[in-house]
Every structure is written in C-alpha cells, then in structure tokens.
Amino acid sequence: MITPCIYMFLSLRMILQKEGPRSLFRGLGPNLVGVAPSRAIYFAAYSNCKEKMNNIFNPDSTQVHMISAGVAGFTAITTTNPIWLVKTRLQLDARNRGEKRMSAFECVRKVYRSDGIKGFYRGMSASYAGISETVIHFVIYESIKRKLLECKTASAMDNEDESAKEASDFVGMMMAAATSKTCATSIAYPHEVVRTRLREEGTKYRSFFQTLSLLVREEGYGSLYRGLTTHLIRQIPNTAIMMSTYEVVVYLLDG
C-alpha cells in the first residue's frame, strides 16, 4: 500500500510543478455536467428494472439485483459516454504553466473533426466491461443492506418498538456502500485503465481486448491496477454519500 501512495504523491508534485494548481481541476466542467444526468438515468433505470424484475423473479433476490444493475449501467453508459470522453481528454491535455488550456468546446470540435460522431464513443466497450463492477457493487450492497434491515427488524420485535428509520440506519447503509464499492472496484478495476487508454488521442489502442493484451504484454499485469489507490480514495466516499442520499430520498418520497 505504501508504494502506490508514494506514486500518487510523486505524480501530484510533478503536476503541480509542471502545470500548476489549476491543472488539478482539469475536466471538472464536463464532470459536473455529466454527474447529475448520469446518476439520474442510472437510478431511474435501476429502480424501474428492479420493480419489473420483482414481478418475474423472487422479490429482491440476487438475480433481480444483478439484472437491474446491469440494465442501469448499460443505459447510463450508452447515453453519457461522450461527456466522460471529453472529461478524460481534458485531463490528459498536459500543458506547461502559462500555456492556454483546451476548453471543453474546443475538445468537442477536435474530436468531431478527427473521428466524427463515433469518436465520442471511444472507450465505451471498456465501460460496458465495467458493468461487472456495477453488478458486483449492487449485489454486495443489497445483501449487506438486507442483513442490516433484518437485524433492525429483529431488534424492534424484541423491544416491541416500531421499526422506523433512524440516522444510524443510513450510516449503516453508507458503510455498506463503502464496503461493496471497495470490493467491486478492486475486482473490476482493469477496465478503468483500459478505458482511459482507449480515450487517449491518437494512440495505438483500438479495442478493449487488444488494449488489455497490449498492456499486459508491454507493461505487465501490474499496469492493470495503476492508479487504483487514487481511484478508491475518490470513489469510496463518493459512493457512500451517493447511496445514502439515494436511500434517504427514497425513504422520504415513500413517506
């Protein structure tokens, strides 16, 4: 764990020295634009699919969670991939201090001139492979959440209290989300590396499996987990807050 942390701080120092503090926020605009619609599409698709699957399979079973997570991931990826491609291109646009930065609109024009509409969907095959991460995350999350609710119900019956939601319940769901996301990301992380390489401009990477085999052949298996520590530092609190917020909103809407 020490070595990845050292690499992370060395990379941070190099970016600050060469490109300045503003470079740390490159791609923030498309990221802010993409987060809201992406999450809205994802959770809408997940909830609707889960509701329909509950009528076909055993309600809230593993099959329901897997299918719902897969459909939600596919829907969100297909509709928002262009936004994430622009974000990645902006993040990879390394320039020295004082040089003019490429804007999101300039990036869009450049991608369109170079590759046309299909250029905005580069890396989507790797994103589809990343649906496995979503499936693993939700299966583990729903399993932990079900166990927490069972414990809550049993405790309420013993004490003859009503099983109402409390703040501690949502803290438990945050922990469940953090745990499930850590497991899922650690297992499926290589697709993140492959996707970033595919989104680089003018590279030798062409498809998911070609990129995967090329990375292993040229850089070794360790390259498939490059940046994992930094990714987890960002994703774990993000997912914990997002999932607990989702549960709070659903609870309040259900009244």
Side-chain angles (χ1 to χ4, degrees), residues 24-246:
L24 298 176
F25 296 91
R26 193 175 302 141
L28 178 62
N31 193 57
L32 293 175
V33 170
V35 164
S38 175
R39 298 308 183 196
I41 292 168
Y42 182 89
F43 281 112
Y46 181 79
S47 298
N48 288 330
C49 186
K50 184 179 175 181
E51 185 178 339
K52 289 180 172 58
M53 291 299 106
N54 278 335
N55 295 325
I56 300 174
F57 300 101
N58 292 329
D60 289 325
S61 62
T62 300
Q63 296 97 314
V64 170
H65 298 149
M66 289 180 68
I67 296 170
S68 301
V71 170
F74 180 86
T75 305
I77 288 165
T78 304
T79 52
T80 61
N81 193 80
I83 298 172
W84 306 126
L85 178 127
V86 171
K87 184 204 77 167
T88 303
R89 288 286 178 90
L90 290 174
Q91 289 175 331
L92 294 173
D93 183 43
R95 304 195 183 192
N96 294 321
R97 287 174 181 263
E99 293 182 346
K100 185 181 179 182
R101 307 294 180 188
M102 179 171 61
S103 69
F105 292 109
E106 288 172 339
C107 182
V108 169
R109 286 197 299 267
K110 191 173 182 181
V111 172
Y112 183 75
R113 282 200 306 267
S114 175
D115 300 313
I117 294 295
K118 68 178 183 180
F120 292 100
Y121 291 90
R122 288 199 61 170
M124 195 160 68
S125 59
S127 293
Y128 285 149
I131 291 174
S132 60
E133 178 182 335
T134 303
V135 171
I136 295 168
H137 163 55
F138 265 92
V139 167
I140 297 175
Y141 172 74
E142 294 283 3
S143 177
I144 296 174
K145 188 176 82 169
R146 185 169 59 249
K147 294 294 183 183
L148 290 173
L149 292 175
E150 287 174 358
C151 292
K152 167 80 173 180
T153 303
S155 176
M157 289 177 65
D158 291 340
N159 298 324
E160 297 183 352
D161 294 330
E162 291 187 5
S163 182
K165 285 282 194 297
E166 299 174 354
S168 59
D169 296 321
F170 296 108
V171 172
M173 289 177 188
M174 287 183 72
M175 298 304 295
T179 302
S180 60
K181 190 63 176 179
T182 301
C183 296
T185 300
S186 299
I187 294 169
Y189 183 73
H191 89 274
E192 292 277 355
V193 178
V194 173
R195 182 172 59 190
T196 301
R197 296 296 180 96
L198 283 170
R199 287 175 177 173
E200 288 179 3
E201 184 179 1
T203 63
K204 55 192 173 184
Y205 306 114
R206 295 289 175 266
S207 65
F208 177 77
F209 289 108
Q210 180 260 351
T211 303
L212 188 66
S213 61
L214 199 59
L215 280 170
V216 172
R217 191 164 61 249
E218 293 184 349
E219 304 176 38
Y221 286 100
S223 64
L224 299 178
Y225 287 89
R226 193 170 294 152
L228 175 60
T229 303
T230 308
H231 189 70
L232 287 174
I233 290 172
R234 181 180 72 90
Q235 283 283 18
I236 293 173
N238 177 285
T239 303
I241 294 169
M242 178 184 68
M243 295 303 297
S244 61
T245 302
Y246 169 74

